[in-house]
């Protein structure tokens, strides 16, 4: 939602420019870029995926910059709003299924795993974990009541306020920061750099904040 709004605002500023958005788990999008997908800009939900992009020379390292921050939250289906009141409650026997992004390929899953390991809860939670292909899939599982709880970004929870309820915040080990960079295979270098600059601009930051993100550090 935030990037769709940024797309519209950017296109209004640059008549004739057509931004095409592609959404997915950061690692999956990176694999698409490395496989030759025609991408000019890569935005990641964590630093790990961007580190991999730099290591693979998939992005121009000098253009890398953080553009937003976020928070991790534990959510439950609206119908069970009072069923969980703390992160520690995820280990209770009453919580049988917990959805979160697959840590192997989804940033929110990596953040969640690190936070739960710090709190000594990872073994108990992962034993009943339902790994999702991306954060929105985890959100959907909770919204449909197919799991008892889920771990998502705060901005994702805000998308379905009538279907899910935030039960607790899960402080992350490392700050949840989102980097963006121009790809090395970019065909529209000038427009790509302009888009990155717009995301970091006053207008771009305002849009991100309106959608629940924190401002770029």
């Amino acid at each position: 939602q935030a990037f769709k709004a940024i797309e519209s605002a950017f296109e209004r500023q640059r008549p004739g420019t057509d931004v095409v958005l592609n959404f997915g788990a950061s690692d999956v999008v990176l694999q698409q870029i490395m496989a030759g997908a025609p991408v000019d800009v890569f935005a990641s939900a964590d630093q790990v995926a961007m580190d991999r992009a730099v290591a693979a020379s998939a992005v121009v390292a000098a253009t890398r910059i953080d553009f937003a921050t976020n928070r991790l939250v534990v959510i439950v289906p609206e119908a069970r709003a009072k069923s969980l009141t703390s992160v520690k409650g995820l280990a209770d026997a009453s919580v049988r299924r917990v959805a979160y992004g697959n840590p192997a390929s989804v940033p929110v899953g990596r953040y969640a795993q690190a936070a739960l390991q710090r709190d000594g809860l990872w073994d108990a939670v992962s034993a009943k974990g339902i790994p999702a292909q991306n954060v929105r899939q985890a959100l959907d599982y909770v919204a449909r009541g197919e799991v008892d709880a889920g771990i998502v970004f705060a901005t994702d929870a805000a998308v379905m306020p009538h279907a899910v309820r935030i039960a607790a915040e899960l402080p992350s080990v490392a700050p949840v920061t989102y980097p963006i960079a121009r790809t090395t295979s970019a065909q529209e270098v000038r427009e790509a750099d302009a888009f990155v600059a717009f995301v970091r601009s006053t207008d771009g930051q305002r849009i991100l904040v309106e959608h629940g993100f924190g401002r770029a550090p």
Side-chain angles (χ1 to χ4, degrees), residues 76-85:
V76 295
E78 174 62 32
R80 306 175 203 168
K82 297 181 180 180
S83 62
L84 188 69
T85 58

Side-chain angles (χ1 to χ4, degrees), residues 24-31 42-46 49-50 105-107 110:
S26 299
D27 292 40
V28 174
V29 175
L30 174 57
Q31 288 300 317
F42 174 48
S44 170
D46 76 348
M50 189 61 79
S105 59
V106 185
R110 289 193 283 265

